[in-house]
Amino acid sequence: MSIQIKSNCKWVGKIDWELRKFHGEEFSTHKGSSYNAFLIRDEKTVLIDTVWSPFDKEFVKNLKKEIPLEKIDFIVINHGEVDHSGALPELMRHIPNTPIYCSANCVKSLRGQYHQDWNYHVVKTGERLSLGSKELIFIEAPMLHWPDSMFTYLTGDNILFSNDAFGQHLASERLYNDRIDQGELYQEALKYYANILTLYSPAVTKKIKELKALNLPIDMICPSHGVIWRKEPLQIVEHYLKWADNYAEDQITVAYDTMWDGTRQMAEIIVKGIVNAVPETTVKLYNLARMDKTDLMTEIFKSKAVLIGSATVNNGMLRDVAAVLEEMRGLKFKHKKAAAFGCYGWSGEAVKLISSRLDEAGFEVVNEGLRQKWAPEGETAERCFEFGQAFAAGLN
Ligand code: FEO
């Protein structure tokens, strides 16, 4: 099924309602996703991107209903990751000599994945491709979010095909940003940014400034996942600038794992201390072992400070805590404060180890953390409360 989005441009992608995990088992997609591809017809016909490989035959079959495949003059691949290039092998079986326009790094990526010597045409920022009455302008966008990523702009219709940037993992038949619930849209757009783009925030800011300097009128931004931004399309660009600038809301997130409940009890008392000190601040408390990790990273992205807790086991921290800290390191969060806490019975190394990992991950560790021998009660419970109070009060 295709959808006309402009007089000579159709969406020819795939809505994946079933998708619940992306990037292997890493990224949760509670609301599915879509792989957006577009067919532009002018004097020349061009296909922009394809879909994920499990849908390759369906994609090519549907494309054949739109146009005899040999009438496609060019293919543009904005990014080589398999969710967008996955149908290329099937498509190229039918039209093996059709030129593929992409960045130099994208050629490496396509060759590396599909081992095919297709008819590649490397393009750089500012290069143009005439379609007859309109042109495509290519804008390389390295690290948004792979080295090969690129935007393609269509003159006349003023459409920016931005690939992953400005996307959301959100399956919807309501194709446009003004036709769906705004809370749901922004929840998914922010989750996408937090988990995929946070570490490339300096590149995001630089690229958006470059894009603005090009002074291209933009009527529509078509990302490769989720809905198209047609109503006030630059709103998502402005949000990206905000998210890329050490974003934090007035939120503190407390996340822990526990063995026999001591660390959970600590966490709950600490939260009471925080609330006592800063009642207006949003506080979120999670057992991170039971929490979706992609959603947890989104909450950490939104937070100005985090507290991470673990019981001590085998002279270290619980494994889910270690996994979360590794993900926090990878995303390179900036300008966030942190501290550790944890309950122990015998040796109690977890707190020191967590503090060290938080520091390595770029968090400002504001104290030595709170080690609690056995479960908190009375005076030691009071110490947890005061720890939460002091942590929160120290943030202002
Ligand atoms: Fe949607 Fe980087 O692939």
Side-chain angles (χ1 to χ4, degrees):
M1 190 192 75
S2 67
I3 303 169
Q4 199 87 37
I5 63 164
K6 285 271 187 176
S7 59
N8 60 355
C9 181
K10 280 186 172 179
W11 176 91
V12 290
K14 170 69 187 174
I15 300 174
D16 188 350
W17 292 93
E18 282 198 345
L19 189 77
R20 289 297 177 268
K21 289 286 181 180
F22 193 74
H23 285 165
E25 295 299 311
E26 286 288 293
F27 193 120
S28 65
T29 50
H30 308 307
K31 296 181 177 172
S33 191
S34 64
Y35 318 107
N36 298 334
F38 301 92
L39 188 68
I40 303 165
R41 291 173 206 240
D42 197 23
E43 288 165 39
K44 300 284 187 187
T45 297
V46 58
L47 174 70
I48 298 197
D49 292 327
T50 73
V51 302
W52 189 26
S53 41
F55 304 105
D56 59 352
K57 290 190 172 50
E58 179 182 334
F59 172 74
V60 171
K61 190 172 143 200
N62 287 338
L63 201 55
K64 278 181 186 169
K65 290 180 193 160
E66 290 298 323
I67 188 169
L69 297 180
E70 60 280 6
K71 298 264 186 203
I72 297 173
D73 296 292
F74 317 112
I75 298 166
V76 171
I77 295 293
N78 278 325
H79 170 38
E81 200 167 3
V82 72
D83 51 326
H84 309 297
S85 67
L88 263 184
E90 176 64 17
L91 180 62
M92 299 310 278
R93 253 183 358 95
H94 298 272
I95 46 172
N97 299 317
T98 305
I100 297 174
Y101 287 74
C102 62
S103 69
N105 274 329
C106 190
V107 174
K108 291 181 194 165
S109 153
L110 296 176
R111 278 208 172 106
Q113 293 177 98
Y114 305 116
H115 314 291
Q116 296 292 324
D117 203 16
W118 289 319
N119 183 9
Y120 301 111
H121 284 241
V122 169
V123 290
K124 292 183 176 165
T125 295
E127 284 188 32
R128 291 167 178 254
L129 177 64
S130 175
L131 304 181
S133 70
K134 295 172 185 176
E135 281 183 314
L136 294 181
I137 303 175
F138 302 107
I139 304 159
E140 293 167 278
M143 306 326 293
L144 270 73
H145 69 124
W146 269 20
D148 68 346
S149 298
M150 180 173 87
F151 299 164
T152 298
Y153 177 83
L154 175 64
T155 64
D157 289 318
N158 304 336
I159 304 177
L160 183 71
F161 299 95
S162 60
N163 199 265
D164 281 324
F166 314 124
Q168 334 89 44
H169 286 306
L170 180 58
S172 175
E173 293 288 351
R174 294 182 162 262
L175 200 62
Y176 300 105
N177 68 316
D178 51 300
R179 296 190 66 222
I180 68 165
D181 180 86
Q182 297 301 291
E184 188 176 39
L185 171 61
Y186 270 98
Q187 169 65 27
E188 294 306 320
L190 184 136
K191 175 176 174 176
Y192 192 95
Y193 187 96
N195 285 276
I196 291 183
L197 287 155
T198 297
L199 73 161
Y200 304 122
S201 288
V204 170
T205 308
K206 189 163 168 256
K207 184 50 58 183
I208 290 177
K209 283 184 181 162
E210 273 178 43
L211 188 64
K212 285 186 165 186
L214 292 173
N215 277 323
L216 298 169
I218 294 177
D219 292 345
M220 204 177 251
I221 296 178
C222 294
S224 54
H225 299 289
V227 300
I228 292 169
W229 302 90
R230 77 171 171 189
K231 185 178 180 192
E232 298 163 17
L234 294 178
Q235 63 178 283
I236 188 59
V237 177
E238 296 307 316
H239 273 90
Y240 264 47
L241 283 174
K242 209 165 62 172
W243 294 340
D245 186 19
N246 303 316
Y247 183 73
E249 297 175 13
D250 185 17
Q251 176 172 325
I252 299 171
T253 295
V254 182
Y256 67 92
D257 193 7
T258 193
M259 280 178 74
W260 292 113
D261 232 20
T263 304
R264 181 188 66 76
Q265 290 174 31
M266 286 183 79
E268 293 194 1
I269 302 167
I270 288 169
V271 164
K272 288 194 189 324
I274 294 171
V275 172
N276 179 270
V278 288
E280 300 306 319
T281 296
T282 300
V283 187
K284 302 264 180 94
L285 173 62
Y286 300 107
N287 178 328
L288 59 80
R290 294 178 182 176
M291 169 74 174
D292 179 287
K293 304 298 185 287
T294 320
D295 291 338
L296 180 59
M297 290 306 128
T298 310
E299 294 302 331
I300 292 174
F301 175 74
K302 286 158 61 184
S303 298
K304 60 183 180 183
V306 297
L307 284 163
I308 303 292
S310 177
T312 292
V313 62
N314 300 335
N315 307 114
M317 67 188 84
L318 292 165
R319 64 183 170 208
D320 280 309
V321 180
V324 161
L325 287 165
E326 170 57 17
E327 196 152 3
M328 289 164 72
R329 182 200 61 75
L331 289 177
K332 291 191 166 66
F333 294 113
K334 297 272 190 308
H335 293 273
K336 294 188 192 295
K337 296 185 177 175
F341 64 95
C343 185
Y344 68 101
W346 309 109
S347 54
E349 292 91 341
V351 170
K352 198 170 174 189
L353 284 168
I354 293 170
S355 298
S356 159
R357 296 274 178 86
L358 285 167
D359 180 59
E360 286 165 23
F363 286 74
E364 184 189 339
V365 180
V366 297
N367 59 44
E368 289 181 350
L370 181 62
R371 293 167 75 239
Q372 169 63 43
K373 194 167 171 66
W374 304 113
E377 174 69 27
E379 205 176 290
T380 55
E382 184 60 26
R383 214 158 59 97
C384 294
F385 185 85
E386 286 167 4
F387 177 79
Q389 265 187 326
F391 179 78
L395 299 176
N396 299 320

